[in-house]
Each structure stands twice: as C-alpha cells, then as structure tokens.
Amino acid sequence: MQIPEMQNDRISKLPDEILGHIISFLPSEDAFATRVLSKRWRPLWFLYPSPNLDFDDQRFFRKEEPYFSFINMVNVTIYERSVLQPIKSFRLRCHEYHDNSMLEHNVLTWLTAAAERGVKHIDVHMYDTPKTSVNSCVFCSSTLVVLKLKGVSVNHFIPANLPSLRTLHLKSVQFIDDGHIVEILNACPVLEDLEMKDISISSRSDELDEEVKKLTNLIRADVTNVSRYGVDLEVLSNVKFLRLEETFDAVPVLSNLTHLEIMFGRNINWSFIISVLENCPILESFLLDMSLTTHVFHLLWFPCILPEGLSLQFKISTIKNYRGHRYELRFVKHLLLISTSLESMIICSSSSLNNQEKMEMMKELLALPKISVKCWMLLE
C-alpha cells in the first residue's frame, strides 16, 4: 500500500485512536497489510482491531500470495486480538480448493473463536467439494442474529439454542439426520427471514421425535424441498413474502402474505397453485416460474373443475417461461376472470419460442376476457 508523501505527512499527524478507527473500516486483508507500513502502524492494527471481519481468498489471491498465507492472515487477525475485544460479524468466502483438511480445521477454529467473542453475524460461503465441515457451535449461540451458511456440512451436533437469531440462510448444507433440521428451527423463536435450499442429510429418521413449531415471527421464507424434513406450510404461514420450489399436502390460510412466488421443476401442480391463491386474502403480487417443465408432465395435475366465485385481489401477476400450452392458457384465462383488482399481467415467454410463435401467443392472450378494466397485458 503506497501513500503519497503529502498524504503520508498529514496522516502521520493524526492521533493513534483516529488512525485505528480508519483502519477498522478497511477490508480485513488491507487492514492486515497496514502492519508493514511502518513501525508506528504495526501496533495500530493490533490495538484497534475491527469488530467486523470480512475474508475473501479471491481478494488475497490478487496479490499472488500462496494459500497458506491467506490462512495465516485469518489466524493472526483473529488470535492476536484480545479475547475481550468482540467480533460482531464474521464473513468468509473460500473459492479455491487446495488442502481441504487444513482449511476445514481452520474454519472450525475460526467459527469457535468468533462464537466465544459474542459474534452476531456469521456468513460462510464455501465453494470447494467435498463440503467443508463447520462446528455446530454456530447453532448454539445466545448472541447470533444472522447465520448464513453455504456449501458446508455439520458432522457433529450439539443441542441448538438460537434465542436471538432473526435471519437463517442454509444453502447446500448437509446434516447428519433430519432431526437436526427440526431442532434448529425450533431453537429460533424470533426468526424473521428463512432460506433453505439444497439441504441434504446423511441418514433419514424413520420417525421424527418432534414436529417443527410454527414460526410466529417469520416475515420472509424462500424454501426448496423442506417438506421432506417435517416442515409443512403451516410452519411458514405467518410470512409476508413466500417463495416456494415445492408443493405441500395441506395449504393453510396465509393471512399476512402479500408477495408469492412459485417455481416448478419437471411438473406443475395446478391444483396446488390454485389452493394457495384461494388462501391468500391480501395477496398483492404473484409470480409463477415454469422454467424446467416438460411437455409430458406439464399437462398433468390440472383440476377438472376450477373454483367458482373466487375473487383474487392481487394487482400484479407474472408468468415466466410461458409456452402457450392449453393448460397454461387456461390458467391465465382463469386468473383474468377472477382477479378483480389486477393492474398488470406480465407474460415472459420461453426462450425456445421463435418470433412467429410469440406473435400467435400474443394474439391469443389479448383475446382473453378479463374482469378488471384497469388490467394491461405485456408479453416479453
């Protein structure tokens, strides 16, 4: 790090407390690098450590340093600080795969050290395969408010206790068994933001010891295939924002829901979509994404009789990857006939369609009757 001579003179006149405060705002790698500027700068990094640690090995590799230097830098940053100096947030991004066992051991100790120092925000994103193990102590913290894990496995588990946790994002996380997922969710009484995707388990329990309790403070949920682990839609029923990549057997009343997104893979369960819409009394916007559907299964699961007398109040509806199949057209027609407050219907056509096919679809869609006189339709 080079500092122009004039700036260097001005900076040198500042008191140590102000210099230390300035260092605390730098990325962790740059703050660490200030140690080599001069004899005066070296103790500043030590005496005024930032409570917010943010490590990204890609930023470090731009300096063409070996990987062990990155690990050493994190170790020094954490362990040369006093145990009385708190760590408020710990963010880690590891893109490179070198010695997984060495990295895994260090990640375990880093998270333990952060937990011991009252960390409130943990965000760990691992890119290597196999998944790096993390210490289950992150699920037993009275101070943790935000926990985001991606690409990790939890091979050892202790009883979960997360009384302050408000945000929980788990992506590509592997657990020993599905009972741990239930325990973690039940240990989050004030949870507001839940994201669970690509969760896997090493062994499946024949029968869970307990059920997932309703998350009464939940505001936002974005989930994929959580029903197989004992999470039903009633657990999430308090939300205002809901994104689903699966179906549920039972659909409760979603009395607070204002924004709904449903994404389907190989088949579309039209009955489920309609059941959810029937149970959203204050819904304002609805999005359906059919990105991975196939021709065979795509035509199944459509109800023989659509609900009569249903009035939907949402204002914005978006259909993605529309192909113009007859059940897709029938569903759009049904929405237009029962959505009394609809202001915009946005149809995003599949990229596999040519311009002629899109033109024919547009004519077909514009000819559909609609109950809302304010509604306009856009085909993208």
Side-chain angles (χ1 to χ4, degrees):
M1 180 182 294
Q2 295 183 346
I3 301 176
E5 185 176 351
M6 183 177 296
Q7 286 186 328
N8 188 33
D9 290 337
R10 292 177 180 176
I11 291 176
S12 297
K13 294 178 182 179
L14 296 173
D16 289 353
E17 293 81 0
I18 294 180
L19 291 179
H21 186 66
I22 293 172
I23 293 173
S24 70
F25 287 97
L26 296 175
S28 296
E29 294 86 351
D30 292 338
F32 181 77
T34 61
R35 302 193 318 158
V36 301
L37 291 177
S38 69
K39 290 182 179 180
R40 185 194 176 196
W41 282 83
R42 181 176 177 82
L44 295 178
W45 170 85
F46 174 77
L47 292 172
Y48 306 98
S50 172
N52 304 308
L53 302 184
D54 183 355
F55 303 107
D56 189 327
D57 60 8
Q58 290 300 293
R59 291 199 300 258
F60 199 77
F61 290 144
R62 295 191 190 109
K63 304 173 184 178
E64 299 183 352
E65 296 282 349
Y67 200 75
F68 72 83
S69 297
F70 170 75
I71 293 178
N72 179 64
M73 182 267 297
V74 181
N75 280 327
V76 172
T77 302
I78 292 176
Y79 297 116
E80 283 197 8
R81 67 200 296 136
S82 168
V83 293
L84 300 178
Q85 293 169 326
I87 296 176
K88 292 183 179 180
S89 67
F90 179 84
R91 181 181 182 273
L92 176 67
R93 295 290 185 273
C94 291
H95 303 71
E96 296 292 322
Y97 177 79
H98 293 277
D99 184 347
N100 190 66
S101 60
M102 179 180 68
L103 181 60
E104 182 173 306
H105 170 74
N106 282 281
V107 172
L108 289 172
T109 59
W110 296 339
L111 289 175
T112 301
E116 291 173 347
R117 289 164 172 79
V119 67
K120 294 184 178 181
H121 186 139
I122 289 178
D123 184 355
V124 176
H125 190 167
M126 310 299 293
Y127 293 82
D128 57 329
T129 302
K131 291 181 173 68
T132 301
S133 294
V134 298
N135 199 322
S136 60
C137 70
V138 299
F139 297 109
C140 185
S141 169
S142 61
T143 61
L144 204 57
V145 176
V146 175
L147 176 58
K148 299 180 180 181
L149 300 175
K150 183 175 181 179
V152 303
S153 64
V154 184
N155 294 331
H156 304 284
F157 200 81
I158 59 176
N161 180 35
L162 297 162
S164 305
L165 195 71
R166 297 187 181 276
T167 298
L168 176 63
H169 291 185
L170 303 176
K171 301 179 185 178
S172 299
V173 177
Q174 185 178 62
F175 293 93
I176 299 173
D177 63 59
D178 40 6
H180 294 159
I181 299 172
V182 175
E183 184 175 341
I184 290 170
L185 292 177
N186 285 342
C188 306
V190 297
L191 191 66
E192 298 176 355
D193 182 355
L194 174 65
E195 191 168 323
M196 294 181 65
K197 295 186 176 184
D198 299 321
I199 303 299
S200 60
I201 57 174
S202 303
S203 60
R204 189 72 180 267
S205 302
D206 294 332
E207 186 174 342
L208 296 174
D209 295 332
E210 58 179 326
E211 296 181 349
V212 182
K213 301 173 185 176
K214 182 176 178 179
L215 298 169
T216 55
N217 285 55
L218 200 64
I219 297 173
R220 177 186 180 275
D222 184 352
V223 297
T224 305
N225 296 329
V226 297
S227 56
R228 69 178 69 176
Y229 305 121
V231 182
D232 57 38
L233 203 50
E234 178 65 33
V235 173
L236 313 174
S237 59
N238 190 67
V239 294
K240 295 181 179 180
F241 175 101
L242 179 61
R243 187 177 189 274
L244 301 174
E245 293 188 40
E246 62 178 304
T247 61
F248 293 83
D249 294 333
V251 179
V253 175
L254 303 166
S255 56
N256 298 322
L257 191 66
T258 58
H259 181 88
L260 171 65
E261 297 182 12
I262 301 179
M263 179 177 181
F264 281 98
R266 294 188 177 279
N267 58 347
I268 297 180
N269 190 325
W270 297 101
S271 295
F272 173 73
I273 299 174
I274 293 171
S275 295
V276 175
L277 293 177
E278 286 182 288
N279 286 279
C280 301
I282 63 169
L283 191 66
E284 295 178 1
S285 59
F286 166 64
L287 182 148
L288 172 63
D289 191 337
M290 307 178 291
S291 60
L292 301 175
T293 54
T294 62
H295 289 280
V296 177
F297 292 106
H298 177 76
L299 301 181
L300 303 178
W301 311 99
F302 201 89
C304 297
I305 301 176
L306 292 169
E308 298 292 339
L310 177 64
S311 176
L312 300 181
Q313 302 300 313
F314 59 79
K315 298 179 180 180
I316 303 172
S317 179
T318 304
I319 311 294
K320 288 189 173 182
N321 291 287
Y322 182 85
R323 295 169 177 81
H325 295 154
R326 60 192 180 101
Y327 287 135
E328 292 176 345
L329 181 65
R330 185 179 176 188
F331 178 70
V332 171
K333 179 180 179 180
H334 187 63
L335 286 185
L336 291 172
L337 289 175
I338 63 176
S339 303
T340 55
S341 301
L342 193 63
E343 296 178 0
S344 63
M345 170 71 77
I346 303 170
I347 308 292
C348 303
S349 61
S350 170
S351 58
S352 63
L353 301 178
N354 57 43
N355 291 334
Q356 181 62 34
E357 290 172 322
K358 291 181 181 181
M359 186 67 68
E360 293 298 322
M361 279 198 318
M362 175 59 83
K363 293 179 181 179
E364 199 170 39
L365 290 168
L366 291 176
L368 295 176
K370 49 183 180 286
I371 191 171
S372 173
V373 294
K374 299 182 295 183
C375 179
W376 58 271
M377 185 174 293
L378 174 66
L379 179 64
E380 296 182 345

